[in-house]
Every structure is written in structure tokens, then in C-alpha cells.
Amino acid sequence: MKRLPKISYLIILLLILSIASCNDSQPKEAAKPAETTAATAQAEPIVSESLNNPPKASLPDPNQPTFGNLEVLQFLPDGPTTRLSQIAVMFNQPMVGLGEYDLVNQDLLILEPPLEGTLRWLNQYTLAFIPEKIYYGSLNIKATLKAGLKSLSGQTLNEGRTITITLPSVKATQDYYYSGSTPESFLSPTFKITFNQKIVLSSFENRAFFVNSSDQPEFKIPASIAPYEYQYDDFLLTCLASPTSPLPLNSQYDLIIEPGLISEAGPEPTDFTIKVLSKNTNSQLNITIDSDLSVLGEAIPLKFGSYVKLLDVISYINIEPPVSKFENLKKRAKELEEIVKNSQDPDK
């Protein structure tokens, strides 16, 4: 078989390329658009505005607020408390814008009695009064929130609110009682007293007294009040109290502090009398013998449990068998008693 010349191959290749180009140049049938069905119509988004002109967001209508009624959720502290560092009111919706916490009418909150301090917003929901100092006692205060306050949504507080705040009043407790063995110390006792607040010492002047608490003749002896050497708490006061002159013998008495005492814990002086303690100078008499009675000839010391006048008790003491020295002492005591009676008789 004879091989074709090279030119024949070239002619055949050209014919094949020519046929292929003719097929590509034939017009194609246009693709039919996809039929729009109910399902596709629901899935396709509907664009009502051009992207270059987006719709504007509508502002809320103040006459149709999105919040409900303006209410006070909390108003604290209400009632007894041991510490007052702020008075806070919390609302149920934003009241001020961010960064506007210092824009507040100082007359919104009324305090009776008034206190020095600042009214400000702690956050968008909470209004607070911050006093210049923290109070721990001696204060009864009424706080009233006025009606008419408006929230950001335009809602109005229709009703005001009032609370009463009560801090502890001044109280005192007796820690110990001391009286010596001599008549002078027994009738001039010293008491260690602790107050639940730090009291201004100068306010004790002309207010602290020892007074009788029975039907006996009245007396009113000023009390000397001095701070105790060791103060265990910066918020308390421990002091020593004693009468400035001896108390009457055989008397019942109270240590009182009259109204007007000033405390560093709060601004209000006391408006009541404080009864610190009740005691007497005629405690039950008891006698002990500090000696071995088996030792003859030894002195027999008698120890009395409270101060007594020897002339009043010696006639009631008997020793068996009788001791001449003691009998002579009893006789002398009676003579002295008679002398005292005669000296008190204006006719003798």
C-alpha cells in the first residue's frame, strides 16, 4: 500500500477544522426562563427600595411609649439599719441618658431633717443621695421622693414614695463596779461604762448625775466622766464614772444622763434620759471570821461584807464566854451613841 504524500495530510486536517468551525457558528436556541412557581415566588426577596436609597428608621413616638407605667422598684434603706452610706431609689426603666448621671434636680428627694450631701444618678435606673459622712447612729430621718419625675420614654411617676430610716440610739452598759474597803471608797464607787457610740465627752457636763431611786430624801450628785485608758473600738466609748462627792449611806441610787448627749455617730442629740445603772449603798450585811478559834488569846478579826457604822452593829455582837475588853467596848459604844443623840437634840 502506497503512502500518501505529506501535502495530502495537510489538506485533510484543514477540511476537519473547517467543518468544526461551521458547527460552532450555527445559532443556538435561547434558554427558556425558569417558570415562576408559588414556591419560588415565596422564597425570593422583594426589594422595594434601591440599595443606594435605603429606608429610614422610624423614631419611637413619645405619645406611644414602649415601656409600661413608671414604677419604683426599691427605695432603701427602709426601717431600722446600723449604717447609712446612701439612700437609693431604683426604677423599672431608664431615667437618664448615658453620661448624664450628674444632671439631676436636687429637690427630687426631700430629707427630714436635712443632711449635707449630693443627689446623683448611679446608673440609668438608680437615683442615690450620698451623705457627706457615713452615719452609724443617733439619726431618725424621713426620705420622700416627689411625684412627677419623668423617664426617658416619657412616662411620669404618678405617686411619690416615703420611707423612714432609723439608726441606733445611744445606749450604755456597765462593765464592772469597784468600791474599796474604806468608807470613802465604798460611798464613792467607780463604774466602767461602755457606750454603743462615740460620745462627745464635753456633752456629759451638767448631764450625768447620781440620783436617789427610792422614797428616801432626794439627792442629785454630779458624776465625773473620764475616758478609759484603753479604747477597744473606734466607734465606741468606754469611760469611768464616779460621784464627785460621797453617796449617802443606806441609799438606793441610779446613774442617769439627761437629754442633750451628743454622739459622733449621728447629728441628733439625745432627747431622752439614759439610766445607766442602779445600785445601793446598803448591801446585805455578812460577817466572816478570819481566825482559828482554837488558838486561845489570839485576836479575832471580823470582816464585814459592806460598810457599817460600828456603833450601829457592835451592840448586836455577843461573844461567849464574855471577853472583858469586848464588853467594855460595847459599853463605850453605847456611851458614844448617847453622846451623839444628845448632840443632835437642840434642847441639850
Side-chain angles (χ1 to χ4, degrees), residues 59 63 102 105 243 338:
L59 296 175
N63 297 322
D102 57 339
N105 183 355
E338 189 67 25

Side-chain angles (χ1 to χ4, degrees), residues 77-119:
D78 187 6
T81 184
T82 57
R83 184 176 185 269
L84 180 63
S85 59
Q86 68 178 22
I87 302 172
V89 188
M90 182 179 291
F91 299 91
N92 66 332
Q93 52 188 274
M95 304 298 293
V96 293
L98 295 172
E100 298 179 343
Y101 296 159
D102 57 339
L103 302 180
V104 58
N105 183 355
Q106 296 293 318
D107 295 331
L108 285 177
L109 192 66
I110 301 174
L111 302 180
E112 302 175 79
L115 296 178
E116 295 293 330
T118 304
L119 189 65

Side-chain angles (χ1 to χ4, degrees), residues 119-135:
L119 189 65
R120 69 183 308 273
W121 293 97
L122 298 182
N123 51 53
Q124 288 185 284
Y125 296 83
T126 307
L127 179 68
F129 174 79
I130 313 297
E132 286 189 351
K133 59 174 290 187
I134 297 176
Y135 296 101

Side-chain angles (χ1 to χ4, degrees), residues 168-173 193-197 199 272 274:
S169 57
V170 176
K171 295 180 180 178
T173 56
I193 301 167
T194 297
F195 290 85
N196 65 334
Q197 302 171 25
I199 307 299
F272 54 91
I274 303 172

Side-chain angles (χ1 to χ4, degrees), residues 285 287 304 309-319 326 330 333-334 337:
L285 176 63
I287 303 174
F304 296 90
K309 289 183 178 180
L310 187 58
L311 292 178
D312 293 340
V313 300
I314 195 171
S315 60
Y316 297 97
I317 300 176
N318 293 314
I319 299 178
F326 186 74
K330 290 174 63 176
K334 289 182 180 181
E337 185 178 1

